[in-house]
Amino acid sequence: MSKSVAGPEIEKLIQLLARVPGLGPRSARRAALHLIKKKEQVLEPLAEAMAVARDSVKVCTTCGNVDTRDPCTICTDARRDNSVIIVVEDVADLWALERASAMNCLYHVLGGTLSPLDGIGPDDLNIKSLVERVSADGTKEIIIAVNATVEGQTTAHYITDQLDGLDISITRLAHGVPVGGELDYLDEGTLTAALRSRTTL
Ligand SMILES: [Zn+2]
């Protein structure tokens, strides 16, 4: 057991910060020290913002996004094309796609991928609510934007099966050469996928 350099309150702060993705024990110590030193400028506003977030964060019952209102800001945005739904694994993916600003449509957050080895089946994901949503609303296209992993692709096939018979087009993200990527550095799987998803110039 390493010896403590500060009182239990500060040690607890460090331990909790170390659980934040991207921060290890060392970065957590640095962050804690920064917070303590900048008590008025950083620590107090951060503590207040966290308390507000704790009290107001909600999960959208329509799409699974997190926000301070339900339905969320995206679901209630009248300027979006509500005939297209992008299906993602996680809220982080939704935020990434929004940053790209390539589409102005709606989303559906699955909350993970099918993974029998980890005991995650269809009932553990927001798949049923997706099927109900697509059946009820005027959806014309579903874009399945799950990760290019075995679990992601298994999940994509399962969703496609569940939506079978509905009058919608189901598409998925292209797999292939990243923007700015050099062919020589790509693995065989990516190159094969890129060749199969080739498009006409
Ligand atoms: Zn929503």
Side-chain angles (χ1 to χ4, degrees):
M1 178 124 181
S2 63
K3 67 181 175 176
S4 299
V5 293
E9 298 84 359
I10 293 173
E11 287 297 335
K12 188 175 181 189
L13 177 64
I14 295 166
Q15 280 171 17
L16 290 171
L17 283 169
R19 290 192 205 165
V20 177
L23 290 185
R26 205 183 161 100
S27 306
R29 281 193 179 277
R30 287 182 60 195
L33 190 57
H34 181 77
L35 289 170
I36 294 162
K37 286 205 282 199
K38 303 270 179 187
K39 191 180 166 195
E40 277 162 33
Q41 302 98 312
V42 186
L43 181 59
E44 282 172 8
L46 180 68
E48 273 168 35
M50 283 180 152
V52 170
R54 177 196 62 201
D55 294 339
S56 55
V57 162
K58 296 179 177 71
V59 174
C60 176
T61 45
T62 305
C63 75
N65 185 19
V66 288
D67 201 345
T68 51
R69 49 168 123 158
D70 177 22
C72 71
T73 308
I74 290 177
C75 284
T76 50
D77 184 351
R79 290 163 301 177
R80 286 175 185 264
D81 178 0
N82 61 9
S83 71
V84 181
I85 297 175
I86 303 185
V87 179
V88 293
E89 290 180 24
D90 193 82
V91 175
D93 304 322
L94 185 163
W95 287 4
L97 288 164
E98 279 292 293
R99 278 201 305 277
S101 304
M103 300 281 289
N104 190 35
C105 59
L106 301 179
Y107 293 88
H108 197 88
V109 182
L110 294 172
T113 44
L114 294 174
S115 181
L117 287 177
D118 300 313
I120 301 172
D123 293 340
D124 300 308
L125 305 175
N126 297 325
I127 294 177
K128 207 164 156 240
S129 58
L130 173 68
V131 178
E132 286 168 2
R133 201 177 160 194
V134 172
S135 311
D137 296 345
T139 309
K140 294 197 181 91
E141 182 179 2
I142 294 284
I143 304 172
I144 302 181
V146 293
N147 291 335
T149 56
V150 173
E151 291 84 6
Q153 298 316 300
T154 306
T155 310
H157 283 126
Y158 182 82
I159 291 170
T160 308
D161 283 348
Q162 297 300 302
L163 297 172
D164 191 35
L166 294 172
D167 186 23
I168 49 163
S169 92
I170 304 172
T171 55
R172 67 164 174 83
L173 295 187
H175 297 161
V177 183
V179 174
E182 293 179 38
L183 298 191
D184 195 22
Y185 288 96
L186 297 181
D187 63 276
E188 291 80 5
T190 305
L191 278 172
T192 307
L195 277 170
R196 286 190 185 145
S197 324
R198 67 190 180 278
T199 51
T200 312
L201 280 172

